[in-house]
Amino acid sequence: MGKIDQAREFLQLVGMPKAQQSDICCYVILAMSGIKPDMAWSEATNDWIRIHDIIQFSNSYYGTTYAENSRETFRKQALHRFRTAALVEDNGMATNSPNYCYRLTEETLQMLKTMKTSEWEATLQRFLQYHETLVDIYASKKKMTMMPVKINGTDFKFSAGKHNELQKAIIEEFAPRFAPNSECLYVGDTTEKDLVKNIDKLTELGFEITLHDKMPDVVLYREDKNWIYFVESVTSVGPMDPKRILEIAEMTQGVTAGKIFVTAFLDFRTYKRFSEMLAWETEVWISEMPDHMIHLNGDKFLGPRWK
């Protein structure tokens, strides 16, 4: 029996559904354990690994031809289900982070290391006996990394990661300073796209939103000024560059409220990386210097400020 069939047998014995016994799921187990065709299961490891690395491992050692655009298939068909079943865990970072990784849980690693040995039956039975408990443990670990955030007076939780850390700062630090008494009309989460989405208010203001539109990370509305703030939370991609301004403009052709475009950064170092890409007539807010803004507005604010 080859390694693919052995991995499939493993998935069957630990109780994974038929759909999670497919070839792609087998390759995930092999890549995450570092098992090449000529290796013994006792050599299995559980180092942190990205989906990109799983694809490269499968292509290099098992002759597959998966492309990078198949990452979402790996994520949804295998890794999400394996995490729910306590076979794998993630490092708690934002899913769009280049450093988002998975690894086998210690229990899974121990089972794999005893595959085809006299200890296999015992480790399998131990896992099955405590399986529901393990599912709860790893689900709890995921919950522990959630960040509480109060949005429009209601308690929510963001999943962990720098992107959401910055979104939390936008809502709790930027908004009170520069958009006082504003309402958050939209904010997404890295695991729940539309965490807050006030469709009625957005429609009332003139938004035309289709399934293909990518909303700004945070949308705030200040009623006393009739201003809308479009804020992008930038940790690795997505500043308010001219292309992004045009995209939002198309989505908001019917909006008559004043539009303010803001790019938010966690720190000055990240701002410097993107500074040449930013569009004129936009604003910059940096979380580590929360009391200040950078205005890319030409002569709008030109004039003496000191006597």
Side-chain angles (χ1 to χ4, degrees):
M1 185 184 293
K3 286 294 189 298
I4 296 294
D5 291 329
Q6 290 172 8
R8 198 183 329 274
E9 182 183 36
F10 166 80
L11 290 170
Q12 178 185 2
L13 291 172
V14 297
M16 294 307 296
K18 192 73 174 176
Q20 276 63 58
Q21 298 172 30
S22 64
D23 284 356
I24 201 169
C25 295
C26 296
Y27 291 128
V28 167
I29 291 295
L30 291 165
M32 294 188 73
S33 57
I35 294 296
K36 301 170 187 175
D38 58 347
M39 291 174 63
W41 285 104
S42 59
E43 300 175 79
T45 58
N46 68 336
D47 297 328
W48 290 108
I49 188 170
R50 301 169 300 166
I51 297 179
H52 165 79
D53 303 318
I54 293 172
I55 292 172
Q56 291 299 308
F57 185 96
S58 303
N59 290 347
S60 297
Y61 297 107
Y62 287 92
T64 58
T65 55
Y66 293 113
E68 283 295 318
N69 61 10
S70 61
R71 282 180 295 181
E72 198 61 21
T73 303
F74 277 82
R75 192 192 319 276
K76 290 182 177 179
Q77 188 172 334
L79 289 159
H80 280 189
R81 305 303 179 91
F82 290 172
R83 186 175 60 196
T84 301
L87 292 177
V88 307
E89 59 181 325
D90 65 41
N91 62 358
M93 301 190 74
T95 53
N96 63 352
S97 167
N99 298 316
Y100 185 72
C101 299
Y102 299 88
R103 70 177 177 188
L104 300 173
T105 64
E106 283 297 323
E107 293 79 14
T108 304
L109 178 63
Q110 291 310 310
M111 279 194 293
L112 289 173
K113 287 174 78 73
T114 62
M115 282 260 286
K116 304 303 174 184
T117 73
S118 58
E119 299 174 54
W120 160 246
E121 191 63 35
T123 55
L124 172 63
Q125 291 306 316
R126 189 180 307 119
F127 178 86
L128 294 176
Q129 181 180 353
Y130 292 107
H131 181 254
E132 291 301 326
T133 304
L134 288 171
V135 169
D136 290 340
I137 289 172
Y138 286 102
S140 297
K141 284 178 67 176
K142 188 69 179 174
K143 289 174 186 174
M144 286 172 62
T145 65
M146 301 290 277
M147 294 183 291
V149 59
K150 191 174 288 290
I151 305 174
N152 301 331
T154 302
D155 292 324
F156 288 88
K157 290 186 185 295
F158 278 143
S159 53
K162 288 189 177 297
H163 183 81
N164 281 342
E165 181 184 331
L166 180 52
Q167 290 200 144
K168 177 179 167 71
I170 291 165
I171 291 166
E172 297 183 344
E173 303 290 338
F174 169 82
R177 287 173 169 85
F178 299 102
N181 303 312
S182 60
E183 178 187 359
C184 180
L185 301 183
Y186 177 85
V187 63
D189 178 72
T190 49
T191 58
E192 186 177 344
K193 183 181 177 183
D194 299 334
L195 186 67
V196 171
K197 190 173 186 179
N198 188 339
I199 293 178
D200 291 341
K201 189 65 177 181
L202 289 167
T203 303
E204 178 188 325
L205 288 168
F207 276 72
E208 294 182 8
I209 304 169
T210 72
L211 291 174
H212 303 291
D213 286 326
K214 179 185 179 297
M215 289 287 286
D217 291 318
V218 181
V219 178
L220 305 169
Y221 177 60
R222 185 174 172 181
E223 190 167 12
D224 63 329
K225 296 279 191 180
N226 194 28
W227 288 353
I228 297 181
Y229 299 72
F230 302 109
V231 189
E232 292 288 21
S233 169
V234 177
T235 54
S236 58
V237 293
M240 284 291 186
D241 58 15
K243 178 176 178 290
R244 187 70 181 112
I245 299 294
L246 287 173
E247 290 173 352
I248 297 173
E250 289 179 7
M251 190 194 313
T252 59
Q253 291 181 45
V255 175
T256 58
K259 301 172 188 177
I260 299 170
F261 299 91
V262 183
T263 306
F265 300 98
L266 277 172
D267 49 52
F268 199 78
R269 178 187 300 177
T270 310
Y271 159 68
K272 287 195 294 185
R273 282 176 47 206
F274 291 91
S275 59
E276 294 184 2
M277 301 170 59
L278 297 168
W280 292 108
E281 311 300 328
T282 66
E283 321 293 329
V284 171
W285 182 74
I286 301 173
S287 177
E288 68 178 4
M289 298 179 284
D291 294 323
H292 303 282
M293 294 274 286
I294 298 172
H295 304 277
L296 302 175
N297 285 346
D299 64 357
K300 184 175 181 182
F301 294 96
L302 183 64
R305 295 179 181 272
W306 306 97
K307 290 184 180 180

Tab-separated table of all heavy atoms in Angstrom, residues 83-112:
chain	number	residue	atom	x	y	z
A	83	ARG	N	-9.210	21.093	10.912
A	83	ARG	CA	-9.134	21.909	12.133
A	83	ARG	C	-10.358	21.657	13.015
A	83	ARG	O	-10.236	21.522	14.230
A	83	ARG	CB	-9.047	23.395	11.762
A	83	ARG	CG	-8.821	24.314	12.962
A	83	ARG	CD	-8.616	25.753	12.529
A	83	ARG	NE	-9.775	26.245	11.810
A	83	ARG	CZ	-9.782	27.339	11.059
A	83	ARG	NH1	-8.673	28.052	10.920
A	83	ARG	NH2	-10.870	27.729	10.442
A	84	THR	N	-11.523	21.569	12.403
A	84	THR	CA	-12.742	21.296	13.165
A	84	THR	C	-12.659	19.946	13.857
A	84	THR	O	-13.174	19.768	14.976
A	84	THR	CB	-13.968	21.321	12.227
A	84	THR	OG1	-14.045	22.615	11.606
A	84	THR	CG2	-15.257	21.062	12.986
A	85	ALA	N	-12.002	18.990	13.220
A	85	ALA	CA	-11.876	17.639	13.782
A	85	ALA	C	-10.688	17.493	14.724
A	85	ALA	O	-10.390	16.386	15.170
A	85	ALA	CB	-11.743	16.629	12.641
A	86	ALA	N	-9.999	18.615	15.029
A	86	ALA	CA	-8.843	18.612	15.939
A	86	ALA	C	-7.662	17.830	15.394
A	86	ALA	O	-6.825	17.349	16.156
A	86	ALA	CB	-9.235	18.094	17.321
A	87	LEU	N	-7.590	17.690	14.069
A	87	LEU	CA	-6.418	17.056	13.460
A	87	LEU	C	-5.305	18.077	13.233
A	87	LEU	O	-4.119	17.739	13.270
A	87	LEU	CB	-6.790	16.410	12.120
A	87	LEU	CG	-7.719	15.199	12.172
A	87	LEU	CD1	-8.057	14.734	10.763
A	87	LEU	CD2	-7.088	14.060	12.961
A	88	VAL	N	-5.687	19.332	12.979
A	88	VAL	CA	-4.698	20.393	12.772
A	88	VAL	C	-5.109	21.622	13.572
A	88	VAL	O	-6.254	21.750	14.014
A	88	VAL	CB	-4.550	20.774	11.274
A	88	VAL	CG1	-4.287	19.556	10.421
A	88	VAL	CG2	-5.771	21.531	10.770
A	89	GLU	N	-4.159	22.537	13.735
A	89	GLU	CA	-4.442	23.829	14.349
A	89	GLU	C	-3.748	24.906	13.517
A	89	GLU	O	-2.848	24.605	12.723
A	89	GLU	CB	-3.941	23.873	15.789
A	89	GLU	CG	-2.448	23.642	15.955
A	89	GLU	CD	-2.009	23.678	17.402
A	89	GLU	OE1	-2.585	24.463	18.185
A	89	GLU	OE2	-1.080	22.917	17.760
A	90	ASP	N	-4.197	26.168	13.678
A	90	ASP	CA	-3.529	27.262	12.966
A	90	ASP	C	-2.837	28.171	13.970
A	90	ASP	O	-2.988	28.008	15.178
A	90	ASP	CB	-4.511	28.027	12.074
A	90	ASP	CG	-5.593	28.747	12.865
A	90	ASP	OD1	-5.275	29.333	13.918
A	90	ASP	OD2	-6.761	28.732	12.440
A	91	ASN	N	-2.061	29.123	13.454
A	91	ASN	CA	-1.277	29.990	14.337
A	91	ASN	C	-2.013	31.261	14.723
A	91	ASN	O	-1.426	32.176	15.300
A	91	ASN	CB	0.080	30.338	13.714
A	91	ASN	CG	-0.049	31.111	12.409
A	91	ASN	OD1	-1.152	31.365	11.924
A	91	ASN	ND2	1.082	31.486	11.840
A	92	GLY	N	-3.304	31.343	14.402
A	92	GLY	CA	-4.125	32.441	14.886
A	92	GLY	C	-3.968	33.751	14.154
A	92	GLY	O	-4.582	34.742	14.536
A	93	MET	N	-3.167	33.775	13.087
A	93	MET	CA	-2.990	35.019	12.341
A	93	MET	C	-4.128	35.196	11.337
A	93	MET	O	-4.934	34.293	11.121
A	93	MET	CB	-1.636	35.023	11.628
A	93	MET	CG	-0.455	34.879	12.571
A	93	MET	SD	1.139	35.167	11.776
A	93	MET	CE	1.088	36.954	11.612
A	94	ALA	N	-4.214	36.385	10.774
A	94	ALA	CA	-5.239	36.645	9.761
A	94	ALA	C	-5.031	35.726	8.563
A	94	ALA	O	-3.900	35.486	8.145
A	94	ALA	CB	-5.174	38.103	9.307
A	95	THR	N	-6.150	35.236	7.995
A	95	THR	CA	-6.029	34.286	6.891
A	95	THR	C	-5.390	34.890	5.649
A	95	THR	O	-4.855	34.170	4.816
A	95	THR	CB	-7.410	33.716	6.504
A	95	THR	OG1	-8.312	34.812	6.253
A	95	THR	CG2	-7.976	32.858	7.610
A	96	ASN	N	-5.454	36.209	5.529
A	96	ASN	CA	-4.808	36.836	4.372
A	96	ASN	C	-3.365	37.225	4.645
A	96	ASN	O	-2.715	37.860	3.820
A	96	ASN	CB	-5.601	38.064	3.905
A	96	ASN	CG	-5.659	39.152	4.969
A	96	ASN	OD1	-5.247	38.952	6.106
A	96	ASN	ND2	-6.199	40.304	4.597
A	97	SER	N	-2.843	36.856	5.804
A	97	SER	CA	-1.449	37.151	6.126
A	97	SER	C	-0.534	36.136	5.440
A	97	SER	O	-0.833	34.937	5.391
A	97	SER	CB	-1.220	37.077	7.640
A	97	SER	OG	0.173	37.056	7.942
A	98	PRO	N	0.605	36.597	4.906
A	98	PRO	CA	1.549	35.644	4.299
A	98	PRO	C	2.157	34.696	5.321
A	98	PRO	O	2.763	33.694	4.955
A	98	PRO	CB	2.616	36.564	3.678
A	98	PRO	CG	2.515	37.845	4.439
A	98	PRO	CD	1.067	37.992	4.795
A	99	ASN	N	1.989	35.005	6.606
A	99	ASN	CA	2.546	34.167	7.666
A	99	ASN	C	1.506	33.260	8.325
A	99	ASN	O	1.768	32.676	9.371
A	99	ASN	CB	3.201	35.053	8.739
A	99	ASN	CG	4.353	35.858	8.180
A	99	ASN	OD1	5.178	35.347	7.440
A	99	ASN	ND2	4.400	37.143	8.513
A	100	TYR	N	0.309	33.175	7.713
A	100	TYR	CA	-0.736	32.299	8.260
A	100	TYR	C	-0.353	30.851	7.992
A	100	TYR	O	-0.106	30.468	6.851
A	100	TYR	CB	-2.072	32.623	7.598
A	100	TYR	CG	-3.257	31.871	8.163
A	100	TYR	CD1	-3.758	32.171	9.420
A	100	TYR	CD2	-3.865	30.859	7.439
A	100	TYR	CE1	-4.850	31.497	9.933
A	100	TYR	CE2	-4.962	30.169	7.937
A	100	TYR	CZ	-5.455	30.501	9.188
A	100	TYR	OH	-6.525	29.821	9.703
A	101	CYS	N	-0.284	30.047	9.042
A	101	CYS	CA	0.208	28.662	8.922
A	101	CYS	C	-0.685	27.684	9.677
A	101	CYS	O	-1.463	28.067	10.554
A	101	CYS	CB	1.628	28.552	9.489
A	101	CYS	SG	2.864	29.564	8.680
A	102	TYR	N	-0.523	26.413	9.331
A	102	TYR	CA	-1.173	25.312	10.026
A	102	TYR	C	-0.093	24.313	10.473
A	102	TYR	O	1.010	24.285	9.935
A	102	TYR	CB	-2.137	24.561	9.099
A	102	TYR	CG	-3.268	25.362	8.531
A	102	TYR	CD1	-3.114	26.062	7.330
A	102	TYR	CD2	-4.508	25.395	9.149
A	102	TYR	CE1	-4.159	26.784	6.778
A	102	TYR	CE2	-5.570	26.109	8.591
A	102	TYR	CZ	-5.388	26.799	7.413
A	102	TYR	OH	-6.429	27.496	6.867
A	103	ARG	N	-0.453	23.478	11.427
A	103	ARG	CA	0.381	22.326	11.763
A	103	ARG	C	-0.505	21.233	12.332
A	103	ARG	O	-1.624	21.487	12.800
A	103	ARG	CB	1.476	22.684	12.759
A	103	ARG	CG	0.989	22.987	14.176
A	103	ARG	CD	2.164	23.250	15.100
A	103	ARG	NE	1.703	23.617	16.438
A	103	ARG	CZ	2.512	24.039	17.398
A	103	ARG	NH1	3.817	24.154	17.182
A	103	ARG	NH2	2.020	24.369	18.588
A	104	LEU	N	-0.001	20.006	12.302
A	104	LEU	CA	-0.711	18.892	12.920
A	104	LEU	C	-0.743	19.093	14.425
A	104	LEU	O	0.224	19.584	15.014
A	104	LEU	CB	-0.006	17.573	12.607
A	104	LEU	CG	0.143	17.174	11.142
A	104	LEU	CD1	1.011	15.919	11.023
A	104	LEU	CD2	-1.213	16.932	10.487
A	105	THR	N	-1.852	18.712	15.066
A	105	THR	CA	-1.863	18.738	16.527
A	105	THR	C	-0.937	17.636	17.046
A	105	THR	O	-0.593	16.689	16.323
A	105	THR	CB	-3.284	18.508	17.066
A	105	THR	OG1	-3.717	17.187	16.690
A	105	THR	CG2	-4.264	19.536	16.517
A	106	GLU	N	-0.544	17.757	18.293
A	106	GLU	CA	0.351	16.755	18.881
A	106	GLU	C	-0.288	15.371	18.849
A	106	GLU	O	0.399	14.363	18.633
A	106	GLU	CB	0.707	17.145	20.319
A	106	GLU	CG	1.737	18.248	20.419
A	106	GLU	CD	3.074	17.842	19.818
A	106	GLU	OE1	3.468	16.668	19.965
A	106	GLU	OE2	3.728	18.702	19.187
A	107	GLU	N	-1.601	15.313	19.084
A	107	GLU	CA	-2.292	14.019	19.079
A	107	GLU	C	-2.241	13.379	17.696
A	107	GLU	O	-2.027	12.159	17.565
A	107	GLU	CB	-3.752	14.203	19.527
A	107	GLU	CG	-3.921	14.618	20.986
A	107	GLU	CD	-3.666	16.109	21.205
A	107	GLU	OE1	-3.612	16.864	20.210
A	107	GLU	OE2	-3.528	16.504	22.372
A	108	THR	N	-2.452	14.187	16.658
A	108	THR	CA	-2.392	13.668	15.288
A	108	THR	C	-0.984	13.189	14.964
A	108	THR	O	-0.789	12.125	14.355
A	108	THR	CB	-2.813	14.751	14.282
A	108	THR	OG1	-4.113	15.226	14.640
A	108	THR	CG2	-2.847	14.194	12.869
A	109	LEU	N	0.008	13.980	15.367
A	109	LEU	CA	1.401	13.603	15.111
A	109	LEU	C	1.729	12.256	15.743
A	109	LEU	O	2.353	11.394	15.111
A	109	LEU	CB	2.347	14.679	15.652
A	109	LEU	CG	3.839	14.383	15.503
A	109	LEU	CD1	4.225	14.291	14.022
A	109	LEU	CD2	4.669	15.443	16.218
A	110	GLN	N	1.309	12.053	16.987
A	110	GLN	CA	1.605	10.794	17.670
A	110	GLN	C	0.936	9.614	16.975
A	110	GLN	O	1.512	8.532	16.873
A	110	GLN	CB	1.171	10.875	19.141
A	110	GLN	CG	2.009	11.828	19.980
A	110	GLN	CD	3.497	11.577	19.819
A	110	GLN	OE1	3.968	10.433	19.940
A	110	GLN	NE2	4.259	12.638	19.526
A	111	MET	N	-0.288	9.823	16.488
A	111	MET	CA	-0.951	8.745	15.741
A	111	MET	C	-0.163	8.394	14.481
A	111	MET	O	0.081	7.215	14.194
A	111	MET	CB	-2.381	9.158	15.376
A	111	MET	CG	-3.390	9.001	16.486
A	111	MET	SD	-5.091	9.124	15.861
A	111	MET	CE	-5.144	10.836	15.359
A	112	LEU	N	0.215	9.406	13.722
A	112	LEU	CA	0.917	9.156	12.475
A	112	LEU	C	2.272	8.488	12.711
A	112	LEU	O	2.688	7.609	11.937
A	112	LEU	CB	1.118	10.475	11.716
A	112	LEU	CG	-0.159	11.087	11.112
A	112	LEU	CD1	0.134	12.464	10.548
A	112	LEU	CD2	-0.746	10.180	10.034
